[in-house]
Structure formats: structure tokens, C-alpha cells
Amino acid sequence: MSEKSKFSGCPATGIGSMPGGDAREAAKTVTGSFGDGQGVPYLAELPARGPGADMIGRTIGLLVEMYGHVEPSGWRISDRPGRDTRRARSWLGEDLDALEEFTQGYEGPLKVQAVGPWTLAAALERRGGEAVLGDPGACRDLADSLAEGLRNHLAEVRRRMPGAQVILQLDEPSLTGVLLGRVRTASGYRTYRAVDRQLVESTLREVLGAAGEGASVVHTCAPEVPFALLRRAGADGISFDFSLLTEREEEAIGEAVEGGTQLFLGVVPGTDPASGGLSDPGGSVMGVRTLWRRLGLNPGTLTESVVITPSCGLAGASPAYARAALAHCGRAARSLADNPE
């Protein structure tokens, strides 16, 4: 299977989180906003429900033989599955039930999200209150548990939705901070040591391997995306906030496109814009066309290389705007296909 064929039929999608707490309403939105094959449905996250529905809590619920509970400072490792872990697993079950209901007979790409190993290590506390990130052995154990948990999760999704081609997205907003030694300790007075880039890469490769023959994407809404590292780690696609791209990253973008890496470009605001609604799909992707020209890339490759998304999750948006933003992503992708130049 070629790299690009893994993403055939993927013009647009969302990042992961949605507003509100109604699993059926969220599933209806993510499956119904992309009419006529204009986008990829996904397993929505609803953090407004509380701890366990947030992206860290959901991913902790996927771990194998590792558990967590909520402290005032955040999620902390537990010896056994308690109320918070059970709640996370219960909500995931509800969300899967709802998505299964609205994808009966569906055949096509379907995306699921989980927090990647390095952002999870930066967020999950050890028993003493410091992050897992500060203990290399604990990081190793966490990555192993996550990879096994993701294999189980993806098998469950495929069992429930047998016609779907499942795409695994790892959310890694803390990845750049991990690489550059910017993640603060519990006291806030110092930072954890930067993690060796080869270790970061090999750990990501292991966890991305949970996707098997399916496609994998790494998403980050932080600046300074390590494009080359993510490609070497085996990510088939890289998802990022297009507005944070700088000139010094453009060469890496060109190399990614020429190497067959899919770019998930966040060009639609993730929260309700102060100026009102979304009215110009072509305008939303104007910067993408400009970048292609500046890099000397063939405009004809746009539709096979690019997926249009919101800039980040939609949890902070109004329900009406979230629906509009997803539909707008589909229309913007269509505009790009109809008029690549």
C-alpha cells in the first residue's frame, strides 16, 4: 500500500474534541457534517463531561495494566483501576456506541485519536507528584502500555465498524517542549531535561506501529513542529495549525510533500470568530495555494497531499459553530480541488 493511498477519500476532517456532553449528538455531527464524501468522520472527544472525557483521561483509560486517578494537579498513576479510570472507559464505550449507530454500513476512512507517548508522559504524574517524563524507565513502561492499549482499541473499532479504514491520530502538543527541555516540573521553578531525539523518535515509532497496516497521523497545535523527526518515526501524516507555520519550516514542508507525507492543515478557526461566521471557503485555503507556489510544488498535487481541518479541537466552540466549521472544512477542500491555482 502506498503512503498516499492510505488517505484516499480524505479531503477534510476534524481534530478530535467537540463541544457539549451528548455522545449521540456529537456522533451525528461528525458523521453528518461532511456530506457527499467531503470529509472523514471521527470518534469525537467530549471534555466538557469532566475528568475521564478529557484527552489525557481518555487515553489513560486505554492503557494496559496502568491506571490513573485525578488529583487537584491533574492525572496521577494508580495501583488499580479506580472510579476515574472506570469513568473514562465508560464514556469511551458510550462514544463508540454512538459512532457505531451513525456509521451503520459505512465504508471509508474513519479517524480515532489518542494522546501520544510524550505528551502523556509530560501530563501524567508519578506517585510523588512529578511527571512520568522525569523517569526514563517509567516513560518506557508507559509507551509499552499505550501501544498495547491502542492495538486493543483499534481492534475494537474495526470490529464495530468493519467497513471502515481506521486512521490512528496521536495528539502530541507537548512534543516540542519535550524535545527542547521546556516542560516544567511540579514546582514550576525548573524544567525537565530535554529528551534525546533518537529516543523520542524510536518511542513514537513503536506507538505509531499500533496502527498496523492502517494510516497514522501525529497532530500538534504547538509551534515548531518537528516535521523531519515525525516522518522518520513513521507518521504517514502530520497535522498542525497552519497559522503557526514559519518560513524556516517551509523547506521541511516541501520535503514532506515530495516524500509522500500527508499534511493535515488547520486553516479554519477552532472557536467562534469575533467577526461572525464562515463565509468564504476559497479564502480559507488561499494561504495553502500561496505556499504551494512559493515552494514550487505542482498545484495538481494539492488534493492528494492535503487534508483540511480546523486549527485545533472544537471543544471551546459553540455547537452551532462546531457544525459550521466542519462543513466549512469540507467546502474549503472542495474549493482547493476545483481551483488548485
Side-chain angles (χ1 to χ4, degrees):
M1 181 184 293
S2 72
E3 300 299 333
K4 289 177 182 176
S5 70
K6 289 185 177 184
F7 294 100
S8 59
C10 301
T13 191
I15 299 300
S17 67
M18 293 289 287
D22 187 326
R24 291 188 76 257
E25 185 61 30
K28 182 179 179 182
T29 298
V30 300
T31 55
S33 295
F34 300 117
D36 301 321
Q38 289 190 36
V40 178
Y42 56 96
L43 181 63
E45 301 159 353
L46 301 173
R49 291 184 295 197
D54 59 300
M55 68 179 196
I56 299 296
R58 163 161 289 185
T59 303
I60 288 170
L62 296 174
L63 297 176
V64 173
E65 296 182 0
M66 290 186 77
Y67 315 103
H69 68 276
V70 178
E71 294 279 344
S73 54
W75 283 90
R76 185 171 295 181
I77 285 176
S78 298
D79 293 323
R80 58 186 63 84
R83 177 184 61 189
D84 296 326
T85 299
R86 288 194 294 270
R87 184 190 300 121
R89 292 173 175 174
S90 174
W91 274 329
L92 174 59
E94 282 184 26
D95 295 338
L96 283 168
D97 289 344
L99 187 62
E100 183 178 6
E101 176 185 346
F102 285 97
T103 53
Q104 291 294 313
Y106 174 74
E107 295 184 356
L110 175 76
K111 186 166 67 69
V112 299
Q113 307 81 220
V115 176
W118 294 109
T119 295
L120 192 60
L124 180 59
E125 298 174 357
R126 290 172 282 157
R127 290 170 182 83
E130 291 293 346
V132 168
L133 184 63
D135 182 334
C139 287
R140 174 82 268 151
D141 291 344
L142 182 62
D144 290 345
S145 175
L146 176 60
E148 186 173 351
L150 285 172
R151 283 191 288 272
N152 294 340
H153 178 48
L154 294 174
E156 171 72 0
V157 173
R158 292 176 179 124
R159 183 188 67 77
R160 286 171 173 259
M161 290 150 257
Q165 291 93 55
V166 182
I167 299 168
L168 171 64
Q169 175 183 304
L170 294 183
D171 293 318
E172 282 283 16
S174 299
L175 182 60
T176 300
V178 168
L179 287 165
L180 299 179
R182 295 176 180 169
V183 179
R184 295 202 169 274
T185 59
S187 69
Y189 293 122
R190 62 183 184 89
T191 57
Y192 293 103
R193 183 180 301 172
V195 180
D196 179 78
R197 297 181 78 87
Q198 287 186 324
L199 178 58
V200 170
E201 181 184 322
S202 63
T203 303
L204 278 169
R205 185 180 298 111
E206 176 197 345
V207 178
L208 286 167
E213 291 297 308
S216 63
V217 181
V218 176
H219 167 73
T220 176
C221 49
E224 302 175 75
V225 179
F227 290 99
L229 183 150
L230 293 175
R231 292 177 60 216
R232 290 194 304 269
D236 300 308
I238 302 173
S239 170
F240 59 97
D241 182 342
F242 188 73
S243 70
L244 299 179
L245 194 65
T246 64
E247 281 188 23
R248 66 176 175 270
E249 293 159 315
E250 289 186 0
E251 183 179 349
I253 290 283
E255 290 172 354
V257 171
E258 290 172 351
T261 302
Q262 197 85 3
L263 300 181
F264 287 62
L265 304 182
V267 300
V268 176
T271 55
D272 305 54
S275 59
L278 298 161
S279 59
D280 182 12
S284 294
V285 291
M286 188 181 303
V288 181
R289 295 189 184 98
T290 301
L291 174 64
W292 239 245
R293 285 196 297 271
R294 198 157 60 237
L295 293 176
L297 295 169
N298 178 0
T301 65
L302 268 169
T303 53
E304 65 187 34
S305 301
V306 165
V307 179
I308 298 301
T309 74
S311 59
C312 208
L314 295 167
S318 66
Y321 178 76
R323 289 191 295 272
L326 293 180
H328 187 84
C329 287
R331 289 193 294 270
R334 175 52 54 195
S335 168
L336 207 56
D338 291 345
N339 183 21
E341 301 188 56

